Amino acid sequence: MTLISLGFQILKNGNCFLLFFILPPDAQAVSRLNSLEAAVHRLNVQFYHMDVRVSQFSQGLAELKGGLAEASESLVSLNEVAIRNQKELGRIDGCLRGRRTQTKCFLIFKHFEAYDAAQKLCEARGGHLAMPVDDTELTVLRRYLYDAFQPYNWPSWVGINDRRSEGLWLFENGQRVSVFDWYQDHLVTQPNGGIRENCVSLSSDDGKWWDNDCERRMYYICEYRL
């Protein structure tokens, strides 16, 4: 309500007093207040629904994260199974198409690769670069290479190197090599590359060993266990 002064009046006794008149509330102001209260109410309702939706979204996001975690674990498991299957299939293929001994199979790959790349490719197929541990296995490899490439000579990587220590020849599995078959004639005596040539290849014409730069790209021989 609004209190308004209308003036003052002097009485006969000399006294005077103010005259006031109380106006009713402004109808337009009341309407604005009511509209404001309604707008605030609507905002509160909207905020409430927004809170509900945010809560639902957060719950859905948490469930999605859980589902993604489960899916990721499943993918890891499937990948592991696929890798095992690929290695097993590679091993079977290597023994079906390659040359066998009593305990292992050798398979020549006619793709030019550096030593480390060749080793990784053999591992992906369930094997590793060939590691002839005795005269019997060397004889099998020598004959296999000759049959595969005659009348040409194509050197091929095997899993032997002295990168750990110069002159200490080791197989890829870390075992020390005890049987050697280095090439020698009146002009060349292998190994002769020193620290520049640390990986072994076999010549296909005679099966003799040569030390080479490990980055040189050549054919390679994988080995698989029976």
Side-chain angles (χ1 to χ4, degrees), residues 57-109:
F57 177 78
S58 298
Q59 182 178 356
L61 185 60
E63 293 174 354
L64 179 61
K65 287 181 178 179
L68 287 175
E70 292 179 2
S72 179
E73 292 177 0
S74 298
L75 285 175
V76 170
S77 299
L78 288 173
N79 187 54
E80 291 174 350
V81 171
I83 290 173
R84 287 197 299 269
N85 289 341
Q86 181 181 5
K87 289 184 176 182
E88 182 62 18
L89 289 173
R91 187 188 68 81
I92 293 172
D93 178 64
C95 287
L96 287 175
R97 295 195 295 123
R99 193 67 58 90
R100 294 189 183 189
T101 68
Q102 291 185 347
T103 60
K104 64 179 67 171
C105 311
F106 298 118
L107 180 62
I108 296 171
F109 286 88

Side-chain angles (χ1 to χ4, degrees), residues 42-58:
R42 287 194 299 271
L43 284 175
N44 287 333
V45 171
Q46 290 175 2
F47 283 135
Y48 170 77
H49 289 299
M50 186 181 296
D51 287 340
V52 171
R53 290 174 182 173
V54 169
S55 177
Q56 292 173 343
F57 177 78
S58 298

Side-chain angles (χ1 to χ4, degrees), residues 24 34 42 46 67 119 122 126 128 135-136 139 141-142 159 161 166 218 221-222:
N34 290 338
R42 287 194 299 271
Q46 290 175 2
Q119 170 62 14
C122 289
H128 43 72
D135 288 328
T136 300
T139 300
L141 263 185
R142 189 181 298 117
N161 67 81
E166 179 63 25
M218 61 178 69
I221 311 165
C222 291

